[in-house]
Amino acid sequence: MKFTRRDFIKNSFLLGSSALFPPIPVSLAEKKEIKWIAAYEKLEMEGKLAQRVKQAYTLFENCQLCPRKCGVNRQKGEKGFCRSPIKPMIFSYHPHFGEELSLVGGKGSGTIFFSNCNLRCIFCQNWPISHDGKGKEIQDEDLADVMLRLQSMGCHNINFVTPTHVMPNILNATRIALKKGLHIPLVYNTSGYERLEIVKMLDGIIDIYLPDLKYMDADKAAKYSAGASDYPEVTKKAIIEMHRQVGVLKLDHQGIAIRGLMIRHLVMPNRAAGTEKFVKWVAETLSKNTYVNIMAQYRVEYKAYDYPEIARGITAQEFLEAMDWAEKYGLTNLDPQSVAVKNIYYHRRSN
Ligand code: SF4
């Protein structure tokens, strides 16, 4: 059979890269850095971020930003349950080295503490900021400058602590900062008391969600968080949506978080947080590979002294029981620091 030049070219294309351009060895391909782009930057490139900021700002007129749904007009200076004005109030900002290791890295998590709160738990460790509203009112432009300052200090992310009631300001500031060079991931560090509709508005803006899931029972939520009996139900819906948007936690080649969901759960005395129900829900509803931080640092703070069942720290046994439940239900991505605490407690118990 005659083999023409045309046949040669055709067969070469059919053989494709395997013959003419052998595949890059996996090790080399892995080493090649892929440019990571923050979610909000992609949304801006699609021309959608400005519209999202506008849409968010209209929520101030009849404030429905959180499940409290106060309906006050914050544009006109009215204040709702959170007592927050229309301008953002911040207490402090700095590189934070006490957060989860994958957020902290070598240079810290660029944390911004907002004043006021829409949940107001009676055991809050930041009560002067969240209950008493200590802090300073600033403009969205100032907030953008704070974000850029944290980035220039080398922080790996911008970590908004208690962002719910200032979400429109955050969106506006993000767009302003983006135009001036912001490029690191945004961390939405929330109590979890979020409306599903509001979390949907954050789709394509937030790269890392860091919600609490504090209680699994309505009566506990109502008792310890200013009547928020709907907390377990609305928070579970919000977290499912966060998981849909960003998936399980992804790290870069240096182990720094770049995208995904990280859930915090504080173990409380006398099983007040419903930890067994919590880990079961995560394992059965989200993914067993969901990053979960089961925290041992409950302290009696603020008004918790008035509630005898939570007026003490947790015991080692209570923490070990919580970690055992996490293992029993098959969670595979537990915070390394909580695993270390578990190992210390086990070691002490067996000596
Ligand atoms: S953000 Fe504040 S004013 Fe708005 S609904 Fe929530 S608690 Fe009320």
Side-chain angles (χ1 to χ4, degrees):
M1 192 176 76
K2 199 179 166 200
F3 195 70
T4 64
R5 186 168 170 272
R6 179 183 291 235
D7 288 332
F8 171 74
I9 292 169
K10 189 176 154 201
N11 286 337
S12 297
F13 275 111
L14 287 174
L15 283 168
S17 59
S18 62
L20 298 175
F21 306 104
I24 301 168
V26 175
S27 57
L28 280 180
E30 278 172 355
K31 277 180 192 166
K32 197 179 165 194
E33 276 217 11
I34 297 161
K35 185 172 158 38
W36 181 85
I37 299 175
Y40 54 86
E41 192 174 343
K42 285 183 205 155
L43 205 69
E44 175 70 12
M45 288 192 292
E46 291 166 15
K48 294 178 184 166
L49 187 55
Q51 179 57 27
R52 210 67 78 79
V53 174
K54 201 174 160 198
Q55 194 188 354
Y57 249 84
T58 62
L59 292 165
F60 277 142
E61 290 166 19
N62 170 23
C63 194
Q64 312 271 329
L65 267 169
C66 84
R68 302 274 183 194
K69 292 187 188 171
C70 300
V72 293
N73 189 335
R74 289 171 59 185
Q75 296 272 19
K76 289 188 175 166
E78 293 172 10
K79 291 183 181 174
F81 176 85
C82 64
R83 301 178 195 145
S84 186
I86 190 165
K87 288 181 191 164
M89 284 181 71
I90 63 169
F91 178 75
S92 64
Y93 66 90
H94 53 86
H96 195 339
F97 292 87
E99 302 286 66
E100 284 76 358
L101 294 175
S102 58
L103 295 174
V104 168
K107 301 269 178 87
S109 177
T111 307
I112 304 173
F113 286 93
F114 289 102
S115 314
N116 301 306
C117 177
N118 70 324
L119 191 56
R120 297 228 297 266
C121 308
I122 51 98
F123 54 90
C124 182
Q125 297 180 355
N126 292 329
W127 61 269
I129 309 167
S130 52
H131 287 247
D132 289 355
K134 286 202 186 319
K136 192 180 160 204
E137 223 172 277
I138 57 170
Q139 305 286 343
D140 293 356
E141 290 76 10
D142 302 323
L143 180 58
D145 287 343
V146 164
M147 294 159 76
L148 290 164
R149 182 122 192 259
L150 290 165
Q151 179 175 271
S152 69
M153 291 163 99
C155 294
H156 302 285
N157 46 64
I158 303 295
N159 183 345
F160 301 114
V161 182
T162 324
T164 316
H165 54 289
V166 286
M167 180 276 267
N169 310 96
I170 288 173
L171 266 48
N172 193 25
T174 297
R175 188 154 187 263
I176 297 167
L178 169 64
K179 289 181 185 303
K180 294 180 179 176
L182 186 78
H183 56 83
I184 55 180
L186 305 183
V187 181
Y188 210 70
N189 183 344
T190 163
S191 68
Y193 197 41
E194 301 281 350
R195 289 181 61 208
L196 177 62
E197 296 82 350
I198 301 298
V199 179
K200 284 183 177 170
M201 285 179 70
L202 298 171
D203 191 4
I205 297 173
I206 301 299
D207 273 299
I208 301 167
Y209 283 105
L210 182 60
D212 295 334
L213 185 39
K214 292 174 186 288
Y215 331 93
M216 299 301 282
D217 296 318
D219 60 334
K220 298 284 192 297
K223 192 172 179 183
Y224 304 134
S225 291
S229 58
D230 58 349
Y231 176 91
E233 288 318 306
V234 301
T235 303
K236 283 190 279 184
K237 281 185 194 151
I239 290 178
I240 290 169
E241 170 62 16
M242 293 171 188
H243 182 258
R244 184 197 68 74
Q245 288 177 24
V246 297
V248 295
L249 185 65
K250 290 169 202 72
L251 309 177
D252 70 6
H253 64 290
Q254 291 181 311
I256 306 294
I258 48 171
R259 191 169 168 82
L261 172 68
M262 306 169 79
I263 308 178
R264 287 175 170 171
H265 175 83
L266 182 67
V267 180
M268 293 177 72
N270 291 306
R271 299 179 177 174
T275 304
E276 183 172 14
K277 279 191 198 168
F278 162 72
V279 290
K280 186 172 188 287
W281 178 80
V282 172
E284 292 177 356
T285 315
L286 304 174
S287 157
K288 287 191 167 64
N289 198 27
T290 303
Y291 188 100
V292 172
N293 185 0
I294 295 180
M295 301 189 295
Q297 54 262 54
Y298 176 81
R299 291 199 310 259
V300 188
E301 286 273 359
Y302 196 47
K303 294 182 178 166
Y305 292 96
D306 299 336
Y307 297 77
E309 69 278 15
I310 59 164
R312 64 164 173 82
I314 63 163
T315 63
Q317 183 49 39
E318 282 171 325
F319 185 69
L320 289 175
E321 168 186 83
M323 293 298 283
D324 286 346
W325 280 325
E327 274 181 33
K328 176 183 156 190
Y329 290 101
L331 295 186
T332 56
N333 199 2
L334 296 173
D335 178 78
Q337 292 174 105
S338 53
V339 173
V341 173
K342 179 193 85 168
N343 292 338
I344 290 167
Y345 284 164
Y346 266 126
H347 183 72
R348 278 192 196 153
R349 200 167 68 172
S350 57
N351 282 305

